[in-house]
Amino acid sequence: MQLFLIRHPPPRLAAGVCYGQLDVDSEDPQPTARRLRALLPATTPVIASPLRRARTLAEALHPQPVFDERLLEISFGEWEGVAWEQIDRRLLDAWAADVLHFVTPGGESVAMLQARALDCVRSLRGNPVALVTHAGVIRALLGHWLHLPIDEWSRLRLDFGSLTLIEIDASRDDLQQTWPGQPRAPAILHYLNR
């Protein structure tokens, strides 16, 4: 399966604000869509996060995109719309101590985000497919398929408007049950970030 993982254009938001699922506009998606259209095979279906910054790009790429809440960015709960410097330092330290499992007040953990993103990919039918989503979702998916620890995949560079092409063999993906001692087959056949 070929998946084109596309990050939305830059949001229109003041720097230093926590915005996870905060629904904000983005910069004009048309220049990004023109560049990306040349990289996508004709008639590629587009599935996107329903947040405006992803929605507008998906609509610029495809006449009938599908929207899936499993592709939403992480929910930061009570932190949404708050300047990072105003968030309780003890909570930020607790998050830094367990990035994968810490649940923000009223929000979700990175592990929860990764589980729903993988569930979305499991449900896909068709090849190729473009997913217009967020950095957190893309990093969580790549971390899974590249078998990276979170301290590595959470820092993967993903520019706004970037496209990451991955080719996975879904029949060998470790989304399926593996037994102790059984080696995990590589799911990534090709990885490219533009």
Side-chain angles (χ1 to χ4, degrees), residues 4-113:
F4 294 86
L5 304 175
I6 298 170
R7 187 178 183 194
H8 60 78
R12 291 188 177 166
L13 186 72
V17 173
C18 175
Y19 64 95
Q21 289 186 10
L22 189 66
D23 199 9
V24 297
D25 287 322
S26 71
E27 292 181 5
D28 181 5
Q30 292 301 329
T32 301
R34 281 192 294 274
R35 178 177 51 81
L36 294 175
R37 261 190 237 107
L39 301 173
L40 294 173
T43 71
T44 299
V46 173
I47 302 169
S49 161
L51 294 175
R52 285 185 304 225
R53 58 192 186 267
R55 174 182 286 274
T56 56
L57 178 56
E59 291 169 340
L61 286 171
H62 195 280
Q64 294 182 312
V66 174
F67 299 98
D68 191 319
E69 291 191 357
R70 294 172 293 181
L71 295 176
L72 287 167
E73 182 59 283
I74 191 168
S75 171
F76 284 115
E78 296 172 11
W79 296 1
E80 300 278 346
V82 177
W84 285 104
E85 64 187 25
Q86 294 177 346
I87 296 171
D88 185 329
R89 185 73 224 173
R90 291 172 303 191
L91 290 175
L92 289 173
D93 290 344
W95 182 32
D98 188 5
V99 175
L100 190 60
H101 297 104
F102 178 81
V103 178
T104 57
E108 67 182 334
S109 70
V110 173
M112 295 162 72
L113 160 73

